[in-house]
Amino acid sequence: MILLDYKDRRPIYEQVVSKFEELMLLGAMKENEPLPSVRSLAMELSINPNTIQRAYVELERQGYIYTVKGKGSFVADNTVMKENRKKEVLLQVSDMIDEAIRVGIPGDEIKNMVEIQYKAAKRNGGGDE
């Protein structure tokens, strides 16, 4: 489920947060699905349980999960977060297009590049459509 990259400069807990966010936003983890216990995930990843606990606290702070005392942590309704993430991505795409125009890349070349990248991403399993 989660693979850590020890060459990554980010702290381990941030990598865990990032991986769970990705799984939730992609729909691989559904609303109300339980997360692994702190202990079991720490054992699976061979890391300190405090690191997993810190990641879970951050995920809860961001609204990705909720915790039920004595039951564990569960995936929250991420509909709003998915929409916010889509808006962020579209804004990034818009900024990139603006930059491409500023440096003189013709519109047809921009369109072709977007189409090529979209098709490549779909072939590699990206997206829902």
Side-chain angles (χ1 to χ4, degrees):
M1 183 191 301
I2 293 181
L3 296 175
L4 299 175
D5 179 1
Y6 293 100
K7 294 177 185 170
D8 191 326
R9 292 178 181 245
R10 295 177 300 162
I12 298 295
Y13 88 92
E14 285 184 13
Q15 290 184 51
V16 172
V17 168
S18 178
K19 297 290 184 182
F20 273 119
E21 286 174 350
E22 185 179 329
L23 289 169
M24 291 174 206
L25 291 173
L26 293 173
M29 295 186 76
K30 307 287 186 214
E31 183 178 346
N32 298 318
E33 182 178 330
L35 274 69
S37 72
V38 168
R39 264 193 205 129
S40 68
L41 186 56
M43 284 179 55
E44 181 183 324
L45 298 175
S46 300
I47 59 176
N48 190 311
N50 292 331
T51 303
I52 300 300
Q53 184 61 42
R54 186 172 180 188
Y56 281 16
V57 166
E58 181 60 21
L59 285 164
E60 189 164 20
R61 187 190 69 74
Q62 292 180 23
Y64 283 98
I65 66 171
Y66 64 93
T67 302
V68 177
K69 197 97 169 151
K71 299 280 186 196
S73 297
F74 301 85
V75 177
D77 176 8
N78 293 320
T79 307
V80 172
M81 282 168 276
K82 285 180 183 178
E83 287 304 313
N84 288 341
R85 184 69 181 124
K86 284 181 186 178
K87 288 176 186 174
E88 287 175 23
V89 169
L90 289 173
L91 185 58
Q92 290 173 345
V93 170
S94 178
D95 289 345
M96 291 300 293
I97 291 170
D98 289 347
E99 180 67 15
I101 291 168
R102 275 194 294 278
V103 298
I105 300 173
D108 286 342
E109 196 172 329
I110 295 169
K111 289 177 197 173
N112 288 339
M113 181 55 75
V114 168
E115 191 170 311
I116 289 167
Q117 291 299 320
Y118 178 81
K119 288 178 181 176
K122 294 301 282 185
R123 274 194 310 275
N124 294 324
D128 296 353
E129 293 176 26

